[in-house]
Amino acid sequence: MKKLLTELHLMMERADLLYIASELVKNYNLKSKVKFGTFGKDQGGYNWDTDTIKLNKSYKNVDDFIITVLHEIHHAIQVDKYGRKKFLKKYAQAGNMAALDGKDRYLANKWERKAENWAQQEYRKKWKGNFWYWYNFPFCATYLQLYICLKITK
């Protein structure tokens, strides 16, 4: 029974996070789909062929989740700006240049750094503090639970 309740709680939390990620995507006038999956050590990924943002199933905290979503949103913005084919070429070139310098193709890729810097700045400017209820009520995973938590604590 306890395992079932834990799984139910995680599913409800993921549904809320999926909703938040989808709303963030809409906020930047994008039509990207958002899905949860597993990526090993990566926190998320953007598939430019299907215009899909893929997110890990869990995050250390809300900040990490929002910044990851923003990072992947920036990749979608980059693809919109340059076009899929041109951006893929630029991204691959940057990875190859990093590898030629003996650096990691992903971590030293200028497009990854741009996306991460943009995500960090965007989070600080626009989104930090907008998800206060997860800090104040970490046991309230869903909007219904949040409503109940707010009623209880008043």
Side-chain angles (χ1 to χ4, degrees):
M1 181 70 165
K2 184 177 180 181
K3 183 179 178 187
L4 180 64
L5 287 174
T6 302
E7 287 175 8
L8 181 63
H9 174 75
L10 288 172
M11 284 177 21
M12 290 169 31
E13 183 176 315
R14 264 187 236 127
D16 285 347
L17 293 177
L18 186 63
Y19 174 78
I20 289 170
S22 298
E23 289 300 307
L24 284 169
V25 167
K26 287 180 196 171
N27 184 72
Y28 291 94
N29 299 316
L30 297 170
K31 292 181 171 59
S32 305
K33 296 174 279 309
V34 181
K35 294 182 179 179
F36 283 101
T38 339
F39 305 99
K41 64 181 177 108
D42 293 340
Q43 295 207 20
Y46 176 68
N47 182 330
W48 39 60
D49 291 326
T50 61
D51 190 23
T52 304
I53 292 171
K54 295 183 179 180
L55 302 168
N56 245 339
K57 291 181 179 177
S58 64
Y59 291 88
K60 287 185 285 186
N61 55 50
V62 178
D63 295 344
D64 281 352
F65 170 74
I66 301 298
I67 290 168
T68 299
V69 173
L70 291 171
H71 176 105
E72 302 310 334
I73 283 172
H74 195 259
H75 286 314
I77 291 169
Q78 290 168 331
V79 169
D80 273 359
K81 180 178 179 180
Y82 296 103
R84 191 182 72 75
K85 194 173 181 178
K86 187 174 181 182
F87 179 70
L88 181 57
K89 184 178 178 181
K90 287 177 173 285
Y91 187 92
Q93 284 175 336
N96 290 338
M97 293 302 293
L100 285 173
D101 287 341
K103 299 176 182 170
D104 185 274
R105 288 179 174 272
Y106 176 80
L107 296 175
N109 188 313
K110 77 176 188 178
W111 298 101
E112 289 298 333
R113 287 196 316 269
K114 285 181 180 187
E116 189 59 27
N117 290 340
W118 181 86
Q120 295 282 344
Q121 287 178 331
E122 196 71 1
Y123 177 72
R124 281 192 301 273
K125 280 192 311 188
K126 269 186 156 172
W127 302 108
K128 190 173 184 175
N130 288 348
F131 302 96
W132 61 269
Y133 55 86
W134 261 302
Y135 292 107
N136 295 324
F137 307 103
F139 48 87
C140 302
T142 67
Y143 294 115
L144 176 60
Q145 288 175 327
L146 173 63
Y147 175 77
I148 293 167
C149 290
L150 290 173
K151 286 290 189 186
I152 292 171
T153 56
K154 280 188 177 182

